[in-house]
Amino acid sequence: MADFDVDLFVIGAGSGGTRAARIAAGHGARVMIAEEDRIGGTCVIRGCVPKKLFVYASRFAEDFEDAAGFGWTLPQAPVFDWPTLRDAVANEVTRLSGLYRKGLEGAKVQIREERAVVEGPHQIRLAKSGEVIRARHILVATGGWPSFDPPIPGGELGISSNEIFHLQALPKRLLVVGGGYIALEFASLFARLGVAVTVLHRGDNILRGFDEDIRSRLRDALVHAGITLRLGCTIDRIEELADGTRRAHCAHGAPIDADVVLVATGRRPNTKGLGLDKAGVAMGPLGEIKVDAASASSVPSIHAVGDVTNRVNLTPVAIREGHAFADSTFGDRAWTVDHATIASAVFTTPEVGTVGLTEAQAVAAGRKVKVFESGFRPMKATISGRQERIYMKLVVDAQSDKVLGVHILGHDAGEIVQAVGIAVTMGATKADFDRTVALHPSAAEELVTMRTPRTA
């Protein structure tokens, strides 16, 4: 023990790293953590938290419109002020970052605010100070980073999701490159803030990996919201015009002019320059750290959790992985994270909530399935007059009656799926859903009132 300065050195003070550090310290370990950016990581600083606040802001536009149907008259047309939102979100991010810091300090975790580089199985060097630390265990929790993949000539004229939160002014025209959840969330929220949005995606449909019925309905809803979709198209290059306009030249079709180009084509594990190769850590083709179920790398003293492993790239997963590592290594309580059934959401408007297998995944796994679905107009829309629909789908194993997947598109889909995810994780059957008394009036009651399976 005397040969080591600390029992655990954590690289990256995001959600997974800070959870591991705090739990390990709680078990009596001597812990040090290094962060070269702001404490809190992607989710808190430049990801899900500020993005969700932006989403809330964008949805007020429809709330103001809907109020008229319920008897409300606004004295004047609502006016949106971008700097007010931007700065309020930035202040909240600063507050949350401070809470993360206090949590680490309260757990007696030593904090180093500089880049850390691995120099061996038990050795870390701090790049700025030059300090060298010997650690019994090293945990890499550096997350992911936006990737312009494939590279675009003139791509430096675009911005990533890191910079979108800090725009000096609200653009009149926004081009979003990509068709995944990050691209679509920003496209959706900026469209509701009054921006003319175009989404350019090389695939033939959006949101790859999600259930096909959700994908097609969300695509139609985005078009209905005024977003221009250019599918099956790639960018050849981006140029800057004399007035500062960004012009994207496409493989086919007319070029697209925009004030801001958001490139959201994916994220990659943030391992470049960490020295992991020097330590002999096995890496995957995207730069991810290869780990086993216990988050152990090919080097026994080095573990990794979160997006840097490219397993399930979600904040709550990183938190659980970090917790499991700390309990298993320092708390004499070995456990691992089950990645099989994890609820997730896409905070577009309408919202997507999903847990379990898609219909295609279930069929590909050799399951004979029954599909139950319901599409309806929510109660609020009957008075407001908004042309809004909610869609719900259950994928059920025809032999065991087990609910394999639940997929929802509509208001509060994420909230609903978080709750129903408990039932799916426990292995609930369609009969369990059927014998659950409906809560009326609610949208979620449709989940327990669907009786007739869809016919082919």
Side-chain angles (χ1 to χ4, degrees):
M1 187 73 72
D3 292 336
F4 300 110
D5 301 308
V6 295
D7 300 311
L8 173 64
F9 193 102
V10 182
I11 305 177
S15 296
T18 55
R19 174 60 65 92
R22 291 173 59 190
I23 297 300
H27 289 309
R30 299 168 299 161
V31 182
M32 184 180 290
I33 193 168
E35 174 57 61
E36 64 178 309
D37 198 342
R38 299 176 67 186
I39 293 174
T42 295
C43 182
V44 170
I45 305 301
R46 65 191 73 84
C48 39
V49 170
K51 175 194 65 186
K52 186 70 178 290
L53 293 172
F54 275 35
V55 169
Y56 283 137
S58 72
R59 290 177 179 172
F60 278 105
E62 291 183 353
D63 289 341
F64 291 135
E65 295 174 357
D66 291 348
F70 290 86
W72 288 90
T73 300
L74 299 179
Q76 58 186 19
V79 177
F80 173 68
D81 183 66
W82 167 258
T84 297
L85 171 64
R86 181 197 61 207
D87 295 348
V89 171
N91 289 338
E92 175 61 8
V93 165
T94 297
R95 185 186 74 85
L96 292 174
S97 179
L99 290 179
Y100 268 63
R101 177 187 294 275
K102 287 181 180 179
L104 290 169
E105 291 173 342
K108 308 302 182 185
V109 174
Q110 300 179 63
I111 301 172
R112 296 291 187 270
E113 296 185 68
E114 55 181 303
R115 182 174 180 80
V117 178
V118 177
E119 294 203 327
H122 296 281
Q123 188 163 297
I124 303 96
R125 176 178 54 83
L126 298 177
K128 184 178 180 180
S129 65
E131 182 181 6
V132 176
I133 297 98
R134 291 267 301 164
R136 184 156 62 101
H137 294 279
I138 298 171
L139 177 67
V140 183
T142 48
W145 200 255
S147 171
F148 287 21
D149 185 27
I152 303 169
E156 69 278 1
L157 297 172
I159 64 171
S160 74
S161 56
N162 288 355
E163 296 81 42
I164 193 74
F165 300 106
H166 308 292
L167 297 175
Q168 288 301 304
L170 186 69
K172 294 182 179 179
R173 302 163 298 175
L174 173 68
L175 171 61
V176 179
V177 183
Y181 73 93
I182 294 176
L184 300 178
E185 287 171 337
F186 283 112
S188 180
L189 74 88
F190 274 100
R192 281 170 171 76
L193 294 178
V195 178
V197 177
T198 298
V199 172
L200 183 68
H201 178 46
R202 61 185 176 182
D204 60 359
N205 200 358
I206 60 173
L207 218 57
R208 182 171 60 89
F210 285 74
D211 191 86
E212 290 298 323
D213 287 307
I214 295 293
R215 298 175 73 193
S216 60
R217 284 169 171 80
L218 177 60
R219 179 193 63 215
D220 294 345
L222 294 177
V223 172
H224 181 75
I227 296 172
T228 300
L229 293 182
R230 294 270 296 268
L231 301 178
C233 190
T234 57
I235 288 185
D236 285 338
R237 62 187 174 90
I238 303 173
E239 67 171 324
E240 183 176 10
L241 303 185
D243 63 355
T245 295
R246 270 59 172 155
R247 174 166 290 174
H249 295 271
C250 307
H252 56 80
I256 303 168
D257 288 351
D259 303 303
V260 173
V261 177
L262 169 63
V263 181
T265 50
R267 296 174 65 84
R268 294 290 182 266
N270 188 20
T271 55
K272 186 176 181 180
L274 282 182
L276 295 167
D277 52 342
K278 183 185 298 185
V281 175
M283 313 286 284
L286 299 178
E288 73 273 22
I289 299 175
K290 292 184 176 181
V291 293
D292 62 16
S295 296
S297 77
S298 58
V299 178
S301 59
I302 300 178
H303 287 65
V305 298
D307 292 11
V308 76
T309 68
N310 200 35
R311 286 179 285 184
V312 178
N313 298 335
L314 295 169
T315 296
V317 176
I319 291 172
R320 288 184 67 83
E321 289 171 353
H323 199 139
F325 159 76
D327 274 350
S328 301
T329 306
F330 300 102
D332 196 25
R333 179 186 166 224
W335 62 283
T336 58
V337 178
D338 181 3
H339 295 91
T341 305
I342 298 172
S344 64
V346 181
F347 294 107
T348 48
T349 303
E351 196 167 291
V352 174
T354 182
V355 63
L357 299 179
T358 67
E359 181 180 354
Q361 288 169 340
V363 171
R367 306 289 190 101
K368 184 178 180 181
V369 301
K370 291 182 180 179
V371 174
F372 298 80
E373 60 183 351
S374 178
F376 55 97
R377 196 177 183 191
M379 179 180 287
K380 182 180 178 182
T382 62
I383 298 286
S384 70
R386 184 168 300 282
Q387 297 303 308
E388 178 184 350
R389 302 283 295 177
I390 293 179
Y391 174 76
M392 297 185 177
K393 178 177 182 178
L394 302 180
V395 180
V396 180
D397 188 297
Q399 293 182 323
S400 67
D401 197 43
K402 182 179 178 179
V403 178
L404 302 174
V406 178
H407 310 279
I408 303 173
L409 178 70
H411 185 67
D412 278 342
E415 302 289 345
I416 298 170
V417 160
Q418 173 65 92
V420 79
I422 300 171
V424 176
T425 301
M426 292 177 67
T429 63
K430 181 62 168 63
D432 292 324
F433 276 56
D434 292 344
R435 66 188 178 88
T436 301
V437 178
L439 190 158
H440 182 76
S442 69
E445 68 180 295
E446 292 289 326
L447 292 172
V448 299
T449 59
M450 290 185 270
R451 295 290 183 265
T452 306
R454 183 182 69 194
T455 57

